Amino acid sequence: MLRHRSRVDIEGDVVSARTMGNLATLVRQAAADTPDKPALVFHHQTTSWAELDALASAAGRGLLALGLQQGDRVAIHLGNVPEFAIAYFGALRAGLVALPVNTGYTANELTHVLTDSGARVILTAPSTAGIVDGLAEHVVVAGTQTWQALLADDADLEAVGGGEDLAVLLYTSGTSGRPKGAMLTHRALLSNLEQSALIDPPVVAQDDVVLLVLPLFHVFGLNAALGMVAWHGATGVLAERFDPVETLELVRRDHVTNVVGAPPMYVAWSMLPDVGDAFTSVRLALSGAAPLPPTVLHRVLDVTGHHVFEGYGLTETAPVLTTTLMSEVAKPGSIGRPVPGIELKLLDESGSPVEEGDPGEIVVRG
């Protein structure tokens, strides 16, 4: 449910006033609307929106106390744990640039990303503290004294910056060469959330419970999942890794209503005998990042009664461009139609539109 639909028309482009703010204000708004409602569920423990809001302010203040200035990079080398969300929203609220880092990177890959980005701080887990030692000016380890010191100042922090300011750097693997950082502004991230929120019926609503198992260091898990939870003030159930049995139990135990997934998840779940029973609370299943085999789509429909709606996007587009939710049916092998506010064309090598049914290069703008 959109809480704000105020708009202005700038040179022909429809722009929401809400997208010109700081992404971390989504947490502040959710805390104001439903302070005691669970924002995150992790290992039977819940963090309310009010608690997440306060922790984000503390993290932001702690990062600034390290001597960081607006625009400095903060590497978040954490899995799907509450500390990731605290660090992410805290860095954004402080006017810093969040740099979610793939937890599977080797030492050489980490060195390249941290050096190339100029990250001054890296937040990591105890299990990976050794691999990042010395790679940044400050190393903060979740769950240790350095993390507690970061959160020591519990005074409120008003959001700094927003709009066209750089918010997130996400390094993409590419087809050749070393990973390169895709630069996403607050407006880019917020605009894609608004575009997705305009889909009817809604992808996420305030009373939904969303499974957060896709890696938060990936744009799909970061904005299309965690970001959507914050936009709507919904509840996210965190899973550190995808285990078919364990995550299916999370869906059942926490009454998950929305699954944001990838094809391997649905392949594995469709093989389990109790998937139909576990999915009784689910109202919407989404898949992205790769094509979902039609046989799997049909098998999931047979055993759960749910269509799996596929979509397409890019890191650089924050990320959602199309979804079969915009089509009349969840057509197997289709990426659907553009979401509201997205224009898409297929062009040939000369830059001219292709004939219907012919292949071409996808060109998009939001």
Side-chain angles (χ1 to χ4, degrees):
M1 179 178 64
L2 276 174
R3 289 188 290 269
H4 183 39
R5 291 176 180 259
S6 174
R7 305 187 171 193
V8 293
D9 194 332
I10 301 178
E11 296 179 353
D13 293 329
V14 177
V15 180
S16 168
R18 191 179 182 192
T19 65
M20 295 306 294
N22 185 303
L23 190 140
T25 58
L26 298 178
V27 177
R28 176 60 51 88
Q29 183 65 55
D33 290 347
T34 54
D36 298 326
K37 180 183 176 182
L40 300 171
V41 179
F42 182 68
H43 288 180
H44 298 282
Q45 295 183 337
T46 63
T47 303
S48 71
W49 281 110
E51 290 169 334
L52 182 57
D53 182 54
L55 288 166
S57 283
R61 283 190 171 277
L63 290 167
L64 293 175
L66 295 176
L68 272 63
Q69 304 292 323
Q70 186 174 0
D72 281 345
R73 277 65 164 157
V74 177
I76 306 174
H77 185 242
L78 294 166
N80 288 20
V81 293
E83 289 85 353
F84 185 107
I86 293 166
Y88 177 60
F89 292 119
L92 296 183
R93 183 169 293 182
L96 306 171
V97 178
L99 171 65
V101 180
N102 190 327
T103 53
Y105 274 163
T106 64
N108 287 339
E109 289 170 325
L110 273 171
T111 300
H112 164 68
V113 167
L114 296 174
T115 302
D116 186 67
S117 65
R120 295 187 58 194
V121 177
I122 183 165
L123 307 170
T124 193
S127 60
T128 51
I131 196 173
V132 303
D133 189 39
L135 295 183
E137 184 179 340
H138 303 279
V139 176
V140 178
V141 182
T144 68
Q145 289 184 341
T146 58
W147 178 256
Q148 295 305 319
L150 186 77
L151 302 179
D153 188 347
D154 60 0
D156 189 30
L157 176 65
E158 290 296 327
V160 177
E164 297 296 349
D165 293 330
L166 182 62
V168 175
L169 269 178
L170 286 170
Y171 276 72
T172 61
S173 58
T175 55
S176 62
R178 287 189 163 185
K180 298 179 177 62
M183 304 169 70
L184 298 175
T185 64
H186 288 270
R187 180 182 169 191
L189 294 158
L190 288 166
S191 292
N192 199 243
L193 293 175
E194 179 173 70
Q195 290 158 354
S196 298
L198 290 172
I199 296 171
D200 187 26
V203 179
V204 177
Q206 192 178 53
D207 57 352
D208 276 326
V209 179
V210 183
L211 181 66
L212 300 178
V213 64
L214 293 175
L216 296 179
F217 60 71
H218 189 280
V219 69
F220 194 15
L222 183 71
N223 209 41
L226 178 62
M228 284 296 284
V229 168
W231 178 276
H232 294 281
T235 298
V237 177
L238 291 161
E240 289 184 89
R241 65 189 182 94
F242 177 71
D243 176 276
V245 174
E246 292 176 1
T247 51
L248 199 61
E249 179 55 30
L250 285 181
V251 171
R252 178 188 290 107
R253 186 195 75 197
D254 295 309
H255 307 290
V256 167
T257 59
N258 301 61
V259 175
V260 184
M265 294 168 51
Y266 294 104
V267 171
W269 279 338
S270 68
M271 301 294 184
L272 299 179
D274 58 341
V275 63
D277 176 66
F279 263 56
T280 53
S281 63
V282 175
R283 74 169 185 85
L284 187 61
L286 306 174
S287 182
L292 183 68
T295 53
V296 176
L297 190 151
H298 289 302
R299 190 159 64 238
V300 172
L301 178 60
D302 288 342
V303 296
T304 69
H306 283 286
H307 289 281
V308 179
F309 294 92
E310 296 186 77
Y312 166 73
L314 306 168
T315 300
E316 293 82 355
T317 59
V320 182
L321 292 173
T322 71
T323 173
T324 52
L325 284 167
M326 297 297 297
S327 306
E328 293 180 1
V329 295
K331 180 181 177 182
S334 170
I335 60 171
R337 298 180 181 276
V339 301
I342 293 292
E343 294 180 72
L344 185 149
K345 292 182 179 180
L346 288 179
L347 305 180
D348 61 21
E349 293 180 353
S350 66
S352 300
V354 302
E355 297 293 331
E356 185 174 350
D358 289 346
E361 181 180 49
I362 297 177
V363 180
V364 299
R365 72 174 181 179

